[in-house]
Amino acid sequence: MALVSYCEKYIELLPVKQLQELQLKCLNNTIKQAFNAPYYRNVLTEKGISELTSLKQITKLPFTTKADLRNNFPYGFLAVDLDEAVRLHSSSGTTGNPTVVFHTQQDIEEWQNLIKRCLYMVRARSSDIFQNMMSYGLFTGGLGLHYGAEKLGMLTIPIGPGNSKRQIMFMKHFKTTIIHILPSYALRLAGLLREMGIDLDKDLHLRIALIGAEPHSEEIRRKIEKLLGLKAFNSYGLSEMCGPGVAFECELQQGLHVWEDHFYPEIIDPQTGEVLPEGEEGEIVLTTLTRQAMPLLRFRTRDLSKIIPEACACGRTHRRLQRIKGRDDDMLIINGVNIFPVQIEKVLMRIPEIGTNYAIHVKKENYMDKLYINVELKKGISSGALKELEALKKRINDELKAEITVTPHVQLVQATSLPVQEGKAARVYDHRAGN
Ligand code: AMP
Ligand code: ZN
């Protein structure tokens, strides 16, 4: 196939049988390595598991959840001497203890190689100019892509998100060809380009966008491609595995190849925990196969997808995941930032002037996610009479922003004016369905 080119041909095209043999070997090394982490040492000893003789036996291993990570904060999952760890990342959207992930130098190098492999797969080359519009810091989107892009040899611009006029100025002057961007931000940027009268062909040189970190539909991808005049590729990852680089679309844009020499994917029924046959939709469960600092066994991602049973026409043998459909828990992803509603509740409930009922609405406006929070005032406090209403609103906004990092739009309403439900309170209304 003339259009397809491989970065690590041997491993990308490894026949399935050999790939599975490699996985079993790596899985057993991972179990061995996991014994060095206090949490797994206890769990695996209790279960009496030290080695598997086939990949199917993976079901003997226990699941690992985000809650396990939090409950064993900070070092319960660390499987090397602290001396050997060189990087810590953390996922947003956690209540209480954050989930932290450690990397050794080798882990970082493997991650860089994976990103390089993904980039090469979508035809990025060392001659490209790469503008990374994902945030740098604890979030893995910035640094993760950054080092892989440098490894490929691209001129890498660590600009981070926001400040669209500056983004456009850089894109123009440095002839940026590849961008890494949230889908929602890509659409907003496209709107601004149009407003500014920028000619995509004459003024810019864009040819590829890497989009991910939040659910988006095929229609949104096509819209981004049309409005920015480029090809957009879906990138899936989560900080618990490494970040971006777990699964990536190939040139053919028909599903995301999971790099199976580093991660073992399973799809389970989220209710029963049973492994589902290929082609059935369920929760993605991932096991790291090469990680040293923090091996994770059967990590429950809560992300919903399915494994595409057919082999991909690109020739790569690593199985494909279908575009992520959504999540199985109540985590909201607001412009790429993970938020649990309980984080909002926690902040609201410590403000004395407000009551107990509130409603969270998430909407898409001008391609951006907007978070509206309607909050009932305490009985006896009238929204009309309270002179300090604006100050109170600002205080709530500030406290929420500090907790969730997203700026909400808070509306104060009279006591008992919001709907009350029978049974389990439904307080979250996501109006973005279908995007
Ligand atoms: P974090 O650990 O903060 O990077 O967040 C990871 C989560 O972001 C994943 O578990 C998914 O829910 C979501 N996510 C990442 N990439 C994608 C993608 N390409 N499509 C849909 N959701 C994504
Ligand atoms: Zn493919």
Side-chain angles (χ1 to χ4, degrees):
M1 183 167 296
L3 288 172
V4 178
S5 51
Y6 310 101
C7 181
E8 294 175 87
K9 194 168 181 179
Y10 172 76
I11 198 75
E12 290 175 48
L13 298 182
L14 198 64
V16 172
K17 192 164 172 290
Q18 275 167 265
L19 186 55
Q20 288 173 345
E21 280 163 14
L22 175 71
Q23 286 180 315
L24 182 60
K25 196 171 128 218
C26 290
L27 184 56
N28 279 322
N29 287 341
T30 300
I31 295 172
K32 211 162 139 202
Q33 181 69 359
F35 267 96
N36 296 325
Y39 173 78
Y40 282 127
R41 194 181 315 134
N42 285 342
V43 174
L44 294 172
T45 308
E46 208 172 277
K47 289 202 167 262
I49 305 166
S50 58
E51 200 176 4
L52 305 180
T53 53
S54 74
L55 283 174
K56 278 219 167 91
Q57 287 189 346
I58 196 167
T59 52
K60 288 188 173 179
L61 297 175
F63 288 120
T64 307
T65 63
K66 235 182 194 330
D68 294 328
L69 297 184
R70 264 183 237 139
N71 295 339
N72 292 277
F73 176 87
Y75 294 126
F77 279 86
L78 184 65
V80 293
D81 285 345
L82 204 50
D83 203 22
E84 286 179 60
V86 299
R87 176 101 64 88
L88 177 155
H89 276 286
S90 175
S91 175
S92 49
T94 45
T95 52
N97 290 335
T99 55
V100 288
V101 181
F102 301 94
H103 301 267
T104 62
Q105 191 67 51
Q106 189 185 313
D107 294 334
I108 294 284
E109 277 161 26
E110 300 274 21
W111 187 15
Q112 287 169 0
N113 280 334
L114 271 183
I115 297 289
K116 181 179 163 198
R117 195 194 286 176
C118 297
L119 290 169
Y120 195 90
M121 177 163 72
V122 297
R123 298 201 199 97
R125 296 294 180 265
S126 60
S127 53
D128 275 299
I129 312 292
F130 176 63
Q131 194 161 325
N132 193 1
M133 303 185 188
M134 290 284 190
S135 57
Y136 279 71
L138 286 173
F139 174 62
T140 53
L143 289 173
L145 254 288
H146 183 98
Y147 287 111
E150 284 187 353
K151 186 119 192 172
L152 181 62
M154 298 197 280
L155 173 62
T156 302
I157 308 173
I159 194 161
N163 200 341
S164 305
K165 293 214 165 123
R166 190 175 59 174
Q167 300 280 5
I168 295 168
M169 195 263 280
F170 270 76
M171 290 199 289
K172 256 171 114 168
H173 289 290
F174 296 99
K175 301 188 168 44
T176 301
T177 51
I178 305 184
I179 55 175
H180 181 211
I181 189 166
L182 285 176
S184 47
Y185 185 41
L187 289 164
R188 210 161 57 117
L189 194 66
L192 189 64
L193 287 171
R194 215 176 17 209
E195 266 171 40
M196 289 170 68
I198 306 257
D199 185 317
L200 289 177
D201 294 326
K202 286 202 202 106
D203 302 326
L204 298 183
H205 300 79
L206 296 176
R207 57 184 205 93
I208 295 170
L210 316 169
I211 54 173
E214 63 185 10
H216 57 283
S217 59
E218 180 64 23
E219 290 69 31
I220 285 291
R221 179 247 291 280
R222 294 298 169 209
K223 205 167 212 166
I224 291 171
E225 292 191 323
K226 190 159 166 255
L227 294 175
L228 289 176
L230 41 67
K231 278 260 177 214
F233 296 92
N234 193 351
S235 155
Y236 169 73
L238 55 157
S239 25
E240 290 84 358
M241 289 297 111
C242 60
V246 175
F248 218 88
E249 272 183 332
C250 70
E251 311 84 333
L252 307 178
Q253 297 182 313
Q254 282 163 11
L256 300 94
H257 289 279
V258 181
W259 295 122
E260 292 202 64
D261 52 332
H262 290 275
F263 307 101
Y264 186 78
E266 296 169 88
I267 299 289
I268 63 159
D269 177 328
Q271 258 74 52
T272 64
E274 229 165 276
V275 178
L276 297 172
E278 278 188 9
E280 279 190 32
E281 190 180 281
E283 179 185 341
I284 308 170
V285 168
L286 293 164
T287 299
T288 64
L289 292 177
T290 51
R291 254 234 310 257
Q292 293 188 321
M294 199 170 139
L296 286 183
L297 306 175
R298 307 191 83 205
F299 181 72
R300 291 191 62 160
T301 66
R302 314 306 306 211
D303 292 321
L304 302 173
S305 176
K306 67 177 183 188
I307 290 178
I308 300 171
E310 299 80 29
C312 185
C314 74
R316 292 180 182 87
T317 47
H318 302 241
R319 283 173 294 174
R320 286 170 298 162
L321 287 175
Q322 199 172 56
R323 169 184 302 287
I324 311 302
K325 194 177 154 201
R327 292 186 54 85
D328 176 53
D329 57 14
D330 56 358
M331 190 173 93
L332 292 165
I333 303 186
I334 311 282
N335 298 319
V337 179
N338 304 345
I339 296 170
F340 280 101
V342 62
Q343 288 178 280
I344 295 172
E345 181 169 292
K346 194 176 80 180
V347 171
L348 295 179
M349 292 309 122
R350 62 176 186 235
I351 295 173
E353 292 92 334
I354 67 180
T356 51
N357 204 5
Y358 63 92
I360 299 170
H361 293 268
V362 189
K363 296 181 184 168
K364 260 288 176 235
E365 285 173 13
N366 193 18
Y367 304 123
M368 296 292 286
D369 298 326
K370 283 268 168 65
L371 178 65
Y372 291 92
I373 307 175
N374 298 335
V375 186
E376 276 186 9
L377 288 162
K378 214 179 215 155
K379 269 206 177 108
I381 301 181
S382 126
S383 59
L386 194 71
K387 275 203 212 109
E388 296 85 10
L389 207 64
E390 277 310 308
L392 173 63
K393 213 156 109 174
K394 183 169 180 314
R395 204 169 87 221
I396 300 173
N397 257 316
D398 291 349
E399 290 202 22
L400 282 168
K401 171 97 199 283
E403 170 72 28
I404 60 177
T405 74
V406 164
T407 307
H409 302 267
V410 172
Q411 187 70 37
L412 297 174
V413 299
Q414 301 278 11
T416 68
S417 63
L418 291 174
V420 216
Q421 292 82 23
E422 302 256 318
K424 197 169 150 45
R427 294 199 162 108
V428 182
Y429 304 88
D430 195 337
H431 306 275
R432 298 171 297 181
N435 286 326

